[in-house]
Amino acid sequence: MQRFLPRLCALLTAAVVSVFSVQAQEDTTKPTSLDPKLIEWEKAQVPKEYTIADVKITGVKHLDTSIISSITNILPGDKFVHPGADIFAKAIANLWRQKFFSYVQIYVTRVEGDKVWVEVNVQERPRLGNFKFVGISKTDAEELTTRASLAKQTIITENTRRSITEIVTKYYTEKAYRNVKVTIDEFTDSSFVNSNQMVITVDKGKKVRINEIAFFGNESVDGLRLKKQMKGTKEMSKATLKADNEESPYGQKKKYSFSQYTKDWGFLSLTKTKRLLDPWFRFKLFSGAKFDAKKYEEDKEKVLDYYNSLGYRDAQIVGDTQYTTPKGNLNIDLKVEEGRKYYFGNIAWKGNSKFSDSLLNVILGINKGDVYNISILNKRLGKEASQDGGGDISGYYMDDGYLFFRAEPVETAVYNDTIDYEIRITEGPQARIKNVTIAGNEKTKDYVIRRELRTIPGELFSRTDLIRSQRELANLQFFNQETIDPGVVPNAEDGTVDINWKLEEKSSDQLELSAGWGGGIGLTGTLGVTFNNFSIRNIWKKSSWDPLPTGDGQKLSLRVQSNGRAFRSYNFSFTEPWLGGKKRNSLTIGVNSSKFSNAFDPFTGTIDRARSDTNYLKTTGLSLALGKQLKWPDDYFSLVYTMSFTQYKLRNYPIFDQDFRNGTSNNFSMKIALQRSSVFDPIFPRSGSNFMASVQFTPPYSLFNKNISKTNDKYKNPEYHKWRFNAEWYVPIGKPMGADKNRQFVLKMAAKYGFMGRYNKDLDYSPFERFQVGDAGLTNNFGLLGYDIIAHRGYPVYQNSDPTINPDQQSASQFFTIFNKYTLEMRFPLVTNPSSTIYALSFFEAANGWYNYKDYNPFRLRRSVGVGMRFFLPMFGLLGFDYGVGLDRITPGQSGLKGASRFTFMLGFEPD
C-alpha cells in the first residue's frame, strides 16, 4: 500500500495537465484548465489535419507583434497534421535564431473540432543602454569598445557578456597582465526602453614580466646566444650573474662566473673592469620584458632555426616550464636536446645541361665540410627567398628563360656526421613572353608604361628584367610601388608566359602655397605647382582638361614668389623624359626671372617705392639640358649635357664689389654630368646607390682679353671651372619587420666633394657658382648667384660673429671654393603607403669649406650629430625636421647645449 500511493499521486498529477505545450526550456509554466478536448489533443495517436484559427502573441512589451508572427511563420488559416508535422518546434527555432528573446514557449490553448488556437509566449532580451569601463584608462576603454563592437541598443546575450570578458582578458594578456579579472554588472537603464546599463569592471592585476630565461642541456651553444634569438621574449635584466634559488624541474640552474661573462661579452678580465662591472651585474636592469604567448612560440622556433643553422638539425625543445617567482614575475626553463652536429658531404648534380657541374658548384658556394644548414642550401637553390633577392641557382636559370626550372635537393647518404646530397634539376623549356597586359592605369597612357618595361612579347623570360621593370615603374612615382604586381602566368602547354601588370595610380602632382601681408611691404607669398604626369600634346584639346591634360609622363613646373617690393621671382621648367619616344633621352628647358630690390630706406626705417626702382639686382636665366641613357658600363649610367645662360643687371647694388654697382654681367656655362643610379625608391631607398661626377665651365675669356683683370670685365663675363662628385649608398640593416616586410633599418652613407678652379691666376675666383655650407640647404639670396647650397645640420650658415664653421676663414667664408662633406644616416620607416611616407632618422655629419687651396685641410671638419623626421606627402613633396648638435661648437666648460644646437627645416630633397 505504501508503494502504491506515490504512484497513484503521480498519475493524478499527470491527469490534471490541461495544455500541451512545445517548450524551449524545461522550466515552464503551463495553463491548468481541465479541458477534455485538450487532454484528447495531447493523447491523440491517429494523425489528423488541423487548421489554426488564431495566433495570440503574449509577453511582448517593445517589439511589434506582427514581426514575431512573421518570424514564427504560424498564421491563421495554416493547416498542419497532428501528430506528425512539428511546426511549433520550427517556429521556436526561428525565434531563438533572432537572439531577441531569453524565453520562448508555444501553447495550444483551445481545440474545437479541427480548429486550434495557439499562444506564443516570449520574454524579450534587454538592449544595451549606457556602458562604461571601470579600472582602466580612457584610451584602453576606447580601444576595447572598438574591439568588442559595443554599441548602444544592441541586444545583450550571453555571447555578448562572454565576448567582452574574452576580449578584455586577451587585450591585457598581450600587455603582460596574466591575472585579469572581468566583472560585468547590469542595471536597468531608464534612459532607453527595455535597456540595461552595463558596468564592466576590470582588475588587471600585476603586470607579469619575465624574470629569467634558463636553458638546460645546451652543451655546445651558449645560453646567451640562444636568448638573443628570442627577439620577442626578453628578460627584465640584460644579464643575471646570480641565479635564483628556486630549483628547476630540469636540475640545478647554470650559474655564470664573471670570467664567463667577460668571455661571452668581449670584456677584458681586468681587476679594474671587474670592480666597475660587478655592481652592474648584481642588480637587475628592468627593460619592460613582457610575456607574449604568441611571440614566445615563435621565439622557440627561432631557437631551433638557430640550432639548424649551426648544423644541429636534430635539435629539439623537449621541456618547457613556466613558473612564477615570489615577486610575481615569470621564470622560463627550456630543456633542449642538441643532437649531433652535421656537415655537408659530397654534392652531386643531376639533370643539368645548361650549366656545368663546376659552375653550379661555384654559384652554390657550399663545399664539402661546411656546416650543415638546410636553409642556406634552399636559398642558394632559389627555393627560399633571400634578403638580397638574387645570386641563386634559380635566378641564373630564370634569367635565361628557364621559367619552369626546378631544383630538388635529395639526401643520398647520411654517415656519422656527414650528409651527401644530390641536386636533381628539371630545366624544362625556355619560356618566351607571349602577352603583356596593363591594368589600373586610369590616367597614364599605356605607351608611357610600356616604354619602361623590359618584359617584351617574343623575348625570353628574365627574372632580372622583371625586377628591373618593376623598379622603373616605381621610379616614375605615378603608381603605388607597394602594389605593383607583374602577375606572371606560365603556360606550360606551349612554353610561354603571360605578364599581366596590375597598377594602382597615386597622386603625383605637388602644390606650394603661402601668402601674407606686411605693412609697407605689401603682398608676400608663394604659389608653385608641379605636374609630374603632364601631357603637352593634349594641351589644346578641351576634352583632355580634367582638370589638366595628363598621362604622357612629362613634367611641368611653375612657381611665382613675391616678398612685396623687396623680391619677386618667376620660374618655369618643362621636362620630356623620352625625347622622340624611342630612347630614354631627356630634354629639360628652364626659364627664370627675379628681381631683388633694396627698398629699405635707412634714414626713415620704411620701405620706399622709389628706392625699389633705383636699387635692385635683376636676373634672367635660360637653361637647356639633354640627357642620354648609356649602355656601357651598364644601363644604370646616364650622361647629361647642360647649357645655361644667366644675365645679371645691377643698379646701385654692389653685390660683387663697390666698384661694380651698375652694369650687366653675363654668366654663360656648359656642364657635363656622368650619373649612375640603382636606387629602387627615391623617396625611401632601401638599397642601391647614386653616383654623380660633373664639370661645369665657362669660356676662358681671359685668353682673348689680356687686360680683363684690370677692368670690370671680370664681372661682366666671369670665367671658372667647377667640379663636383657625389656618392650615396643605401644598405639594409637586419631583417624586414612588419606584416608587409617593409619596415627595416636602412643605413645611408654619403660623400660630397666640390672645388672651383680658374683659368688665370691673376684673376680672383669667380663670384658666381661658389659653395655655401651650413643650415638646412634651403635656397637663399645667394642662390641668385648660382651658389651650391650645402646643408650641414647643427651649424648655421657662416656669420662673422660665429666662426665655428671654419675658424681659419674669418672673411668671405660664405664664398667657399672648396668643400667636403660626409654623412652617416640611420633611417627607419614608420609609415609607407601611397598617401604618405614617414620615416625617422639619426645622423652624423662632418663638413667644411675653404676659400682657397692653400688653406685646404681635408681632415679639419666640423662634426654634428642629431635626429630628424621626414614626411612625404604627394601634394606637398618632402618635408623634413632635424635637431642637430654641432660638436665643434661646444666650448670647454660649457654646460648644456645652448648655442651649440639648432633646429632646421627642409623642403624637398637635398640638392646635389
Side-chain angles (χ1 to χ4, degrees):
M1 186 65 178
Q2 292 179 349
R3 296 179 179 178
F4 177 73
L5 288 175
R7 294 180 181 177
L8 180 60
C9 293
L11 291 173
L12 291 174
T13 303
V16 299
V17 174
S18 59
V19 178
F20 167 80
S21 67
V22 182
Q23 306 178 53
Q25 299 180 3
E26 294 182 0
D27 184 16
T28 61
T29 303
K30 302 176 182 179
T32 57
S33 174
L34 297 176
D35 189 335
K37 294 181 180 180
L38 290 177
I39 296 176
E40 181 182 349
W41 160 276
E42 179 183 357
K43 294 182 178 181
Q45 296 182 356
V46 179
K48 178 181 177 181
E49 186 178 69
Y50 291 88
T51 301
I52 297 177
D54 186 36
V55 179
K56 183 180 180 182
I57 310 295
T58 61
V60 178
K61 296 182 179 179
H62 308 287
L63 290 175
D64 192 338
T65 57
S66 61
I67 295 177
I68 299 176
S69 296
S70 64
I71 294 173
T72 61
N73 201 26
I74 300 176
L75 302 173
D78 289 350
K79 298 180 182 296
F80 67 98
V81 177
H82 173 75
D86 200 356
I87 64 170
F88 298 147
K90 293 180 180 179
I92 291 174
N94 290 339
L95 290 171
W96 277 121
R97 197 175 295 118
Q98 308 307 312
K99 299 181 180 180
F100 291 160
F101 312 104
S102 60
Y103 179 85
V104 178
Q105 282 186 332
I106 297 181
Y107 304 123
V108 173
T109 58
R110 180 180 171 190
V111 178
E112 289 186 5
D114 62 349
K115 295 183 178 181
V116 296
W117 280 256
V118 177
E119 178 184 343
V120 179
N121 181 252
V122 296
Q123 182 177 336
E124 298 177 54
R125 291 185 187 274
R127 295 178 178 269
L128 181 61
N130 293 306
F131 61 89
K132 65 177 180 178
F133 288 88
V134 178
I136 61 176
S137 67
K138 181 180 179 181
T139 303
D140 285 354
E142 292 174 351
E143 177 66 21
L144 289 171
T145 298
T146 302
R147 293 194 179 194
S149 301
L150 293 178
K152 294 180 180 180
Q153 295 304 288
T154 54
I155 302 296
I156 300 176
T157 65
E158 286 301 322
N159 184 61
T160 303
R161 301 179 182 92
R162 182 170 56 254
S163 176
I164 293 172
T165 302
E166 291 175 354
I167 290 172
V168 172
T169 302
K170 181 182 178 182
Y171 178 76
Y172 284 106
T173 299
E174 293 173 352
K175 293 178 175 288
Y177 295 95
R178 304 188 72 192
N179 301 310
V180 182
K181 295 179 181 179
V182 182
T183 304
I184 301 177
D185 296 313
E186 295 182 37
F187 310 94
T188 302
D189 192 340
S190 58
S191 302
F192 302 93
V193 176
N194 188 36
S195 300
N196 283 355
Q197 178 183 355
M198 185 176 287
V199 179
I200 307 166
T201 304
V202 181
D203 182 4
K204 297 184 294 187
K206 184 180 179 182
K207 181 176 284 192
V208 176
R209 300 180 185 273
I210 301 173
N211 179 66
E212 183 183 12
I213 302 172
F215 284 90
F216 300 86
N218 53 314
E219 299 298 329
S220 302
V221 183
D222 186 79
L224 289 177
R225 295 187 180 275
L226 296 178
K227 291 178 185 179
K228 289 180 180 179
Q229 310 310 312
M230 306 181 75
K231 305 297 184 183
T233 310
K234 298 290 186 181
E235 298 172 325
M236 288 191 299
S237 54
K238 294 181 179 178
T240 306
L241 183 62
K242 218 172 181 181
D244 290 342
N245 293 325
E246 292 93 346
E247 183 70 20
S248 168
Y250 308 123
Q252 184 64 34
K253 293 184 179 179
K254 183 178 180 180
K255 296 185 179 181
Y256 288 90
S257 65
F258 181 83
S259 60
Q260 287 174 306
Y261 270 103
T262 55
K263 178 180 178 182
D264 293 338
W265 287 43
F267 295 139
L268 296 176
S269 301
L270 300 176
T271 304
K272 183 177 180 180
T273 308
K274 181 179 185 299
R275 186 166 59 249
L276 292 172
L277 293 180
D278 268 346
W280 185 78
F281 282 116
R282 192 175 297 120
F283 296 101
K284 294 180 180 293
L285 302 177
F286 291 90
S287 61
K290 65 180 183 179
F291 179 81
D292 187 315
K294 182 179 180 180
K295 291 182 179 180
Y296 176 61
E297 293 300 323
E298 294 173 354
D299 285 342
K300 288 197 294 183
E301 291 298 323
K302 291 178 182 177
V303 169
L304 294 181
D305 290 342
Y306 181 66
Y307 263 113
N308 293 337
S309 69
L310 298 177
Y312 296 93
R313 72 169 190 170
D314 299 330
Q316 301 179 62
I317 296 178
V318 296
D320 175 2
T321 301
Q322 304 169 20
Y323 54 96
T324 56
T325 65
K327 294 185 178 181
N329 292 316
L330 189 67
N331 280 353
I332 299 175
D333 290 343
L334 295 169
K335 185 177 181 181
V336 299
E337 286 185 0
E338 296 178 332
R340 173 178 288 179
K341 186 173 184 177
Y342 291 88
Y343 301 86
F344 282 109
N346 297 313
I347 297 179
W349 301 88
K350 184 178 180 180
N352 55 302
S353 59
K354 175 66 178 178
F355 300 112
S356 64
D357 291 3
S358 58
L359 178 59
L360 293 178
N361 282 327
V362 172
I363 299 173
L364 186 66
I366 297 177
N367 301 313
K368 184 177 182 180
D370 288 352
V371 173
Y372 176 82
N373 187 338
I374 187 62
S375 179
I376 291 294
L377 178 61
N378 286 331
K379 287 179 180 178
R380 301 282 174 82
L381 291 175
K383 296 176 67 64
E384 293 182 8
S386 59
Q387 188 171 344
D388 54 10
D392 52 70
I393 301 292
S394 176
Y396 277 86
Y397 271 95
M398 288 191 177
D399 282 346
D400 200 27
Y402 291 92
L403 177 61
F404 306 101
F405 165 84
R406 298 290 182 272
E408 295 295 334
V410 179
E411 293 184 10
T412 56
V414 180
Y415 47 95
N416 298 326
D417 59 354
T418 304
I419 303 175
D420 289 346
Y421 266 96
E422 181 179 79
I423 312 298
R424 299 175 183 175
I425 291 178
T426 304
E427 293 180 342
Q430 288 180 296
R432 291 192 177 273
I433 300 173
K434 186 177 182 180
N435 299 312
V436 178
T437 63
I438 302 171
N441 53 317
E442 299 176 356
K443 295 182 179 180
T444 308
K445 305 295 192 299
D446 277 6
Y447 82 90
V448 174
I449 300 171
R450 289 188 182 276
R451 70 191 185 189
E452 303 291 340
L453 299 180
R454 295 165 184 261
T455 54
I456 302 173
E459 297 289 334
L460 286 174
F461 175 84
S462 170
R463 188 174 72 173
T464 298
D465 287 345
L466 191 74
I467 295 173
R468 181 70 181 274
S469 298
Q470 191 171 1
R471 170 188 176 272
E472 299 296 349
L473 290 176
N475 284 346
L476 287 175
Q477 296 298 309
F478 303 159
F479 310 105
N480 176 13
Q481 66 159 353
E482 306 297 339
T483 59
I484 296 177
D485 181 13
V488 178
V489 181
N491 305 311
E493 295 79 9
D494 57 1
T496 62
V497 56
D498 293 337
I499 300 178
N500 304 313
W501 289 97
K502 295 181 181 179
L503 308 173
E504 178 188 344
E505 294 216 60
K506 67 176 184 179
S507 174
S508 58
D509 299 330
Q510 297 176 4
L511 172 68
E512 182 183 358
L513 180 63
S514 64
W517 181 268
I521 298 177
L523 179 66
T524 65
T526 300
L527 174 61
V529 290
T530 301
F531 306 105
N532 290 304
N533 194 3
F534 193 69
S535 175
I536 196 169
R537 68 176 179 177
N538 293 323
I539 196 169
W540 305 115
K541 293 182 180 180
K542 185 177 180 180
S543 59
S544 300
W545 287 74
D546 185 26
L548 289 169
T550 60
D552 283 338
Q554 298 160 342
K555 182 177 180 179
L556 177 67
S557 180
L558 301 167
R559 191 172 188 268
V560 178
Q561 186 176 8
S562 172
N563 191 17
R565 301 188 180 279
F567 175 74
R568 60 99 179 134
S569 174
Y570 308 108
N571 293 272
F572 165 84
S573 68
F574 172 78
T575 300
E576 168 55 72
W578 285 70
L579 185 62
K582 295 183 179 181
K583 294 183 179 180
R584 197 190 296 268
N585 297 330
S586 64
L587 172 67
T588 300
I589 300 174
V591 178
N592 65 82
S593 174
S594 62
K595 178 182 179 181
F596 197 93
S597 303
N598 186 8
F600 181 78
D601 189 338
F603 299 102
T604 63
T606 61
I607 301 297
D608 185 354
R609 176 181 297 184
R611 284 183 61 87
S612 66
D613 295 331
T614 58
N615 297 264
Y616 60 80
L617 165 66
K618 288 183 179 180
T619 67
T620 303
L622 174 67
S623 65
L624 180 67
L626 180 65
K628 180 180 180 181
Q629 184 181 30
L630 304 179
K631 298 296 183 181
W632 186 88
D634 59 39
D635 58 5
Y636 289 108
F637 279 89
S638 63
L639 191 62
V640 181
Y641 304 91
T642 304
M643 180 175 63
S644 60
F645 172 78
T646 305
Q647 184 181 76
Y648 300 85
K649 290 187 176 181
L650 292 81
R651 184 174 180 182
N652 298 320
Y653 205 96
I655 190 171
F656 303 130
D657 193 292
Q658 290 294 335
D659 296 332
F660 187 64
R661 301 172 58 90
N662 298 276
T664 301
S665 180
N666 299 308
N667 182 8
F668 175 78
S669 66
M670 293 285 295
K671 181 178 180 181
I672 303 175
L674 180 65
Q675 304 172 352
R676 185 184 189 276
S677 176
S678 59
V679 169
F680 182 80
D681 178 14
I683 297 175
F684 184 77
R686 295 177 175 85
S687 61
S689 59
N690 289 321
F691 295 94
M692 190 277 292
S694 69
V695 56
Q696 182 178 355
F697 56 90
T698 65
Y701 299 109
S702 61
L703 294 180
F704 310 111
N705 184 357
K706 299 298 183 180
N707 298 320
I708 192 172
S709 60
K710 300 178 181 179
T711 67
N712 282 331
D713 290 343
K714 61 183 178 181
Y715 296 120
K716 293 181 179 179
N717 294 290
E719 61 177 31
Y720 58 87
H721 53 92
K722 183 169 72 171
W723 305 77
R724 288 291 307 272
F725 176 76
N726 296 342
E728 294 177 342
W729 295 268
Y730 298 92
V731 182
I733 305 296
K735 296 181 179 180
M737 297 175 283
D740 54 0
K741 300 297 182 182
N742 286 327
R743 303 183 65 186
Q744 182 178 19
F745 285 99
V746 176
L747 177 65
K748 174 188 175 182
M749 300 176 289
K752 293 186 177 184
Y753 306 94
F755 67 91
M756 173 181 283
R758 52 187 174 178
Y759 300 113
N760 191 334
K761 64 179 181 179
D762 295 330
L763 291 177
D764 196 3
Y765 292 102
S766 168
F768 299 97
E769 303 292 343
R770 295 195 182 189
F771 307 109
Q772 189 180 72
V773 181
D775 212 55
L778 293 176
T779 301
N780 51 45
N781 57 320
F782 287 98
L784 297 175
L785 303 180
Y787 276 29
D788 288 358
I789 312 297
I790 310 302
H792 190 191
R793 292 165 287 190
Y795 289 89
V797 174
Y798 178 84
Q799 298 175 358
N800 289 333
S801 59
D802 185 1
T804 55
I805 289 291
N806 193 334
D808 298 332
Q809 300 296 325
Q810 294 296 320
S811 63
S813 291
Q814 291 173 327
F815 311 135
F816 294 138
T817 59
I818 312 171
F819 87 93
N820 294 165
K821 179 183 176 181
Y822 306 92
T823 302
L824 284 176
E825 199 170 89
M826 184 65 76
R827 301 175 169 186
F828 185 77
L830 304 176
V831 177
T832 55
N833 57 51
S835 60
S836 63
T837 298
I838 304 174
Y839 62 89
L841 59 89
S842 59
F843 66 86
F844 170 80
E845 282 186 344
N848 212 342
W850 297 266
Y851 181 67
N852 54 53
Y853 296 94
K854 181 180 178 180
D855 299 321
Y856 176 64
N857 183 352
F859 302 103
R860 184 166 191 133
L861 301 171
R862 305 298 112 187
R863 302 159 298 167
S864 66
V865 295
V867 295
M869 293 286 291
R870 295 292 182 270
F871 306 85
F872 181 83
L873 305 174
M875 180 60 72
F876 302 103
L878 186 67
L879 308 176
F881 302 90
D882 293 300
Y883 175 75
V885 178
L887 301 180
D888 295 288
R889 300 179 70 197
I890 302 176
T891 58
Q894 177 178 339
S895 60
L897 300 177
K898 186 177 181 180
S901 61
R902 63 189 291 112
F903 282 98
T904 55
F905 168 76
M906 62 165 290
L907 180 64
F909 294 93
E910 183 178 349
D912 293 332

